[in-house]
Amino acid sequence: MTDDREPVAVGIDVGGTKLVAAGVDRDGLVGARIREETPAGDPDQLMAALAAIVADLGGSGLPVGLGIAGIVDAAGVLRYGANLDVRDFDVGPRLQALTGRPVTVVNDATGAVWGEVQAGAGRGVDDVVMFTLGTGVGGGVVVGGSIVEGSQGFAGELGHLIVEEGGRRCPCGNRGCLEAYSSGTAVALRARARIADEAVSSSLQGHDDLTGKAVAEAALAGDRFAVEMLEEAGRWLGVGIATVVNALDPARILVGGGASIRSASFMLPPAREVMRERLLGGDQRTPPEVVEAELSDDAGMVGAGLLAAERA
Amino acid sequence: MTDDREPVAVGIDVGGTKLVAAGVDRDGLVGARIREETPAGDPDQLMAALAAIVADLGGSGLPVGLGIAGIVDAAGVLRYGANLDVRDFDVGPRLQALTGRPVTVVNDATGAVWGEVQAGAGRGVDDVVMFTLGTGVGGGVVVGGSIVEGSQGFAGELGHLIVEEGGRRCPCGNRGCLEAYSSGTAVALRARARIADEAVSSSLQGHDDLTGKAVAEAALAGDRFAVEMLEEAGRWLGVGIATVVNALDPARILVGGGASIRSASFMLPPAREVMRERLLGGDQRTPPEVVEAELSDDAGMVGAGLLAAERA
């Protein structure tokens, strides 16, 4: 990475509260990030903000990639936006008309997986599955070097692998989904319940608004109960990983997302152990690597930009 | 389908007890099947039998596709044969040397899925997942029109989706795998256990060696308890289907295999119902179709042959 890198695209991560954008190439970000508030309630203002970012970063004609939480169709229409609270918003075609650039729109988790595969922890292998741990659990699947988007753009919802039929209640309304065991929210709920029910010895006791982040920080500070909570979430992650590996046999599993940053060192060893126990054909195969993602919050931007560059 | 169809390949299903072979084209079998005992213990005899079949059916140079239970690598070597009890058997290269034809070797379930996608119930869609119900539960995954074989050839082991962590013991040694709930074997075990433990009213009582086939036949004859056993297995199948659909969003799910032939009418309605309940984004999406496979035992032969024709 030298100073004379030229971006091949503009990558923009359209979050519910923030727009983050930068030039990208196959090594990641090129130049500084732009950060702005997302004008979330007003599509016209959002389009104007996006066009201004493209004018600022887009040089003389770079393609533009947007990553957005929600369901995106092949025409670049956001059919349903989880954070923006919109339906059938033709963000891609409109930005293309406003800027004259080729615009590619993808689901944010799909973008993140693609970023990791092209420029992060997934480099060098063609079959990759990524789990993103945060408030919920998301993910993405790459088969034969291509992202699996699914027949309706719903693929990669790995938080809703069912790991225990009839088990814990999931925010999606069902029971037993991986998200109800391995998200930051799930870790916090479980820690609160254990503290309320049992004589637990932990620095987390008396914590008013216990979050997954607080559990991870306590674990890093040596709190044994907090470590136990993360290891339990890691074992459940291992069950989900085993299910995916039995179905798809990827070469590498990536674990990323905001909740993994502080907790991966506690969650990944038990996840690997449970995965190995559960794989079919144990002694006939090499288990896939299970590694931390590398690009952190930049993954979606990088992946959306690189997809735009490929498709331009 | 007219009488002047010309086969494009020879398809051979190499089972543990039987070899079945025929000419195939994009509409399925062309001409009659050949059926022989498999010389299972003797690789040289097996090679001679396969070469004789090719001489008989292979016209003036048709490519040859073999479907075999086990792990097959890209060079056509059977690394581990589930039925033939062999390791690292170079069946593909040897048959190619013996016959002078291009030879393609695939896992039998992979062949069956490809047969259904090309010439059966999967025609017309690019993203298909197939579950095969028999003694065990197998499967295959097609994404974007291509079979997913996985980084080591282990993909498609859908019987080992974990649907209930810590649940019923599976023949693979783990607990809670779909196979332990929805295979013919699982249905029979469950029926026997219920009959032993409870005052069940069923024609299956006193049955000496209760099989999945016997349960299905009793259900077809109107036995309410047998119907209940198949519906329960169908609900578990629905959990496995939901997990796969949340991960991959296929357009169509196929259910085939020997145990599905008599039981599909009982298993598929509850499977569809449970799948719909468990899908993420319920009202935003059209659930995939869940339909019976069409080619029955011919699927593997047809698929292996058509793969050989494509690759020749």
Side-chain angles (χ1 to χ4, degrees), chain B residues 10 14 23 38 64 67 70 110 126 135 147 157 187 190 199 203 223 227 237 249-250 254 257 261 264 282-283 288:
Chain B
V10 177
V14 184
T38 302
V64 178
T110 303
D126 276 346
T135 310
I147 290 183
E157 292 291 357
V187 167
R190 179 83 172 145
S203 63
D223 187 294
V227 169
L237 178 61
D249 185 22
L254 311 182
I261 292 168
D283 64 333

Side-chain angles (χ1 to χ4, degrees), chain A residues 71-119:
Chain A
I71 310 300
V72 180
D73 72 18
V77 176
L78 181 63
R79 297 208 4 236
Y80 166 73
N83 294 330
L84 297 177
D85 193 24
V86 294
R87 297 210 176 185
D88 300 324
F89 175 33
D90 53 345
V91 56
R94 286 181 65 178
L95 189 60
Q96 193 149 341
L98 278 171
T99 62
R101 314 298 175 90
V103 174
T104 295
V105 188
V106 293
N107 169 273
D108 58 347
T110 303
V113 177
W114 196 242
E116 292 287 347
V117 164
Q118 293 288 305

Side-chain angles (χ1 to χ4, degrees), chain A residues 261-276:
Chain A
I261 293 168
R262 291 171 192 80
S263 62
S265 62
F266 304 105
M267 288 180 68
L268 293 194
R272 291 186 190 105
E273 188 188 331
V274 168
M275 172 196 73
R276 280 193 297 262

Side-chain angles (χ1 to χ4, degrees), chain A residues 79-80 87 127 141 143 148-158 160-165 172 174-175 236 239 242-243 245-251 274 277-281 283-288, chain B residues 79-80 87 127 141 143 148-158 160-165 172 174-175 236 239 242-243 245-251 274 277-281 283-288:
Chain A
R79 297 208 4 236
Y80 166 73
R87 297 210 176 185
D127 298 295
V141 176
V143 168
V148 179
E149 300 194 68
S151 64
Q152 297 174 70
F154 284 88
E157 292 292 356
L158 304 182
H160 305 279
L161 303 174
I162 298 163
V163 293
E164 186 183 42
E165 170 63 8
C172 78
N174 285 318
R175 285 184 176 277
W236 284 105
V239 175
T243 276
V245 175
N246 283 331
L248 298 171
D249 184 21
V274 168
E277 288 169 11
R278 301 295 192 283
L279 289 192
L280 191 72
D283 63 334
Q284 301 294 323
R285 78 194 294 169
T286 311
Chain B
R79 296 203 9 232
Y80 166 72
R87 297 214 175 182
D127 298 295
V141 176
V143 168
V148 178
E149 301 195 66
S151 63
Q152 296 174 70
F154 285 87
E157 292 291 357
L158 304 183
H160 305 278
L161 303 175
I162 299 163
V163 293
E164 186 183 42
E165 169 63 9
C172 78
N174 284 317
R175 287 184 174 277
W236 284 105
V239 174
T243 275
V245 174
N246 282 332
L248 298 171
D249 185 22
V274 168
E277 287 169 11
R278 300 296 192 283
L279 289 192
L280 191 71
D283 64 333
Q284 301 294 322
R285 76 195 294 168
T286 312

Side-chain angles (χ1 to χ4, degrees), chain B residues 184-185 188-189 191-192 195 204-215 217:
Chain B
T185 312
L189 276 172
R192 272 187 249 164
I195 287 171
L204 294 168
Q205 252 167 342
H207 216 288
D208 257 4
D209 184 25
L210 191 54
T211 60
K213 186 177 165 187
V215 176
E217 283 170 351

Side-chain angles (χ1 to χ4, degrees), chain A residues 149-212:
Chain A
E149 300 194 68
S151 64
Q152 297 174 70
F154 284 88
E157 292 292 356
L158 304 182
H160 305 279
L161 303 174
I162 298 163
V163 293
E164 186 183 42
E165 170 63 8
R168 292 190 205 161
R169 179 71 70 185
C170 180
C172 78
N174 285 318
R175 285 184 176 277
C177 301
L178 178 61
E179 178 164 307
Y181 298 83
S182 298
S183 68
T185 312
V187 168
L189 275 172
R190 180 82 172 146
R192 271 186 251 163
R194 288 276 308 271
I195 288 171
D197 290 354
E198 301 170 33
V200 162
S201 161
S202 168
S203 63
L204 294 169
Q205 252 167 341
H207 216 287
D208 257 4
D209 184 25
L210 192 54
T211 59

